[in-house]
Amino acid sequence: DGWPMNELVEHGHNGLLVPANITGAFFESPVWEVSPGDLAGAMARFVGDARLRRRTTCAAPGELAARQHRFVMTARRFLLGETAPRVLSMYAGPHPTYLRAETFRSHALRRHGYEVVDAGYGDAWEALVAEGCDFALVAKAPSLEWVRHLKKHAGVPMYMWFWDPIDYGEERRRWFEAIAPLFDAVFLNEKGREAAWAARGIQMHYIEEGVMVESERGPGRRPLTLPTPASGH
């Protein structure tokens, strides 16, 4: 498989794999096709294997973690009178043909129990900040000047969530290195220049995407048992 699937499929454990052959190309990517007989055989096995069906239809590790986190935050709200953290999530605005990555970021935060307020870079975010928020989350901000303006007037911690500053080329990396030091912390999916970024004063944290979480079977592998919440959380 290819992007954006981030879970390792292990034959017979969390999925069934069938042979595939390249039958053409779509732009620069190969097109893979499986034989109807092989696909039918896998479907028949799935129908007859109750344990396999249970493993492949239960929630993925990332979803289980989100449910646990949301439960803890809900309990604290009811028992301690705490309010859910309010996040100002900044993005470039809706795209006419696809959902931006920031849409899924906001959805994930809501699944974890946060109150998320989405705002475009050109929106009147000052009014949203005045209503109160715990921190602001930004992806590919429009300019250094815009970030400085937000930092000056928001009055809350500012975090940057970004992806692939190396793979996308030198221009993207240079922009990232110029703007990242303005944030209180940066969350990134791609490693490779840790020493250089630390020398620039960038507070870097690395996160895994999708269901790439640790379990007793290793990163990206669906666990055999449900994860246990850490004591005190």
Side-chain angles (χ1 to χ4, degrees):
D1 74 282
W3 183 91
M5 185 173 182
N6 295 310
E7 182 175 8
L8 174 67
V9 177
E10 185 175 348
H11 184 68
H13 177 71
N14 63 325
L16 294 175
L17 302 175
V18 294
N21 297 303
I22 297 177
T23 59
F26 180 73
F27 291 99
E28 297 182 0
S29 300
V31 174
W32 297 82
E33 296 288 349
V34 300
S35 73
D38 290 334
L39 183 59
M43 295 171 66
R45 178 180 171 184
F46 186 78
V47 170
D49 191 334
R51 296 185 63 185
L52 178 62
R53 290 200 307 275
R54 177 69 181 92
R55 286 197 300 270
T56 54
T57 55
C58 70
E63 173 62 18
L64 294 176
R67 292 177 185 176
Q68 291 175 345
H69 194 275
R70 187 170 66 254
F71 171 79
V72 171
M73 295 181 72
T74 301
R76 295 182 69 92
R77 187 166 68 250
F78 281 102
L79 298 177
L80 304 178
E82 296 180 350
T83 58
R86 192 168 189 260
V87 184
L88 178 61
S89 178
M90 309 294 296
Y91 73 117
H95 192 278
T97 58
Y98 62 82
L99 293 177
R100 296 189 184 276
E102 293 91 329
T103 302
F104 302 99
R105 176 191 70 188
S106 294
H107 176 71
L109 285 169
R110 291 188 180 98
R111 295 288 293 169
H112 278 75
Y114 291 83
E115 178 186 349
V116 182
V117 179
D118 294 304
Y121 294 134
D123 292 345
W125 53 263
E126 292 90 343
L128 298 174
V129 170
E131 296 175 2
C133 65
D134 293 278
F135 63 90
L137 191 60
V138 179
K140 195 175 187 303
S143 66
L144 287 170
E145 291 72 22
W146 184 91
V147 174
R148 292 191 181 103
H149 182 68
L150 177 65
K151 190 177 183 69
K152 179 180 179 180
H153 295 281
V156 295
M158 287 175 39
Y159 304 117
M160 184 183 194
W161 175 77
F162 200 59
W163 57 95
D164 300 342
I166 300 175
D167 284 348
Y168 274 69
E170 285 295 310
E171 182 180 357
R172 185 182 180 99
R173 181 184 59 79
R174 287 195 299 268
W175 175 89
F176 170 78
E177 291 179 346
I179 207 167
L182 296 176
F183 292 88
D184 295 283
V186 175
F187 298 91
L188 196 65
N189 72 320
E190 185 183 38
K191 296 182 179 181
R193 292 179 178 265
E194 290 81 1
W197 289 333
R200 292 175 177 267
I202 302 174
Q203 298 297 316
M204 190 72 65
H205 301 274
Y206 292 96
I207 57 175
E208 298 287 358
E209 302 174 73
V211 295
M212 293 291 289
V213 298
E214 290 286 350
S215 74
E216 79 276 11
R217 304 188 69 248
R221 295 190 172 192
R222 193 175 295 251
L224 296 173
T225 58
L226 295 178
T228 302
S231 176
H233 294 277

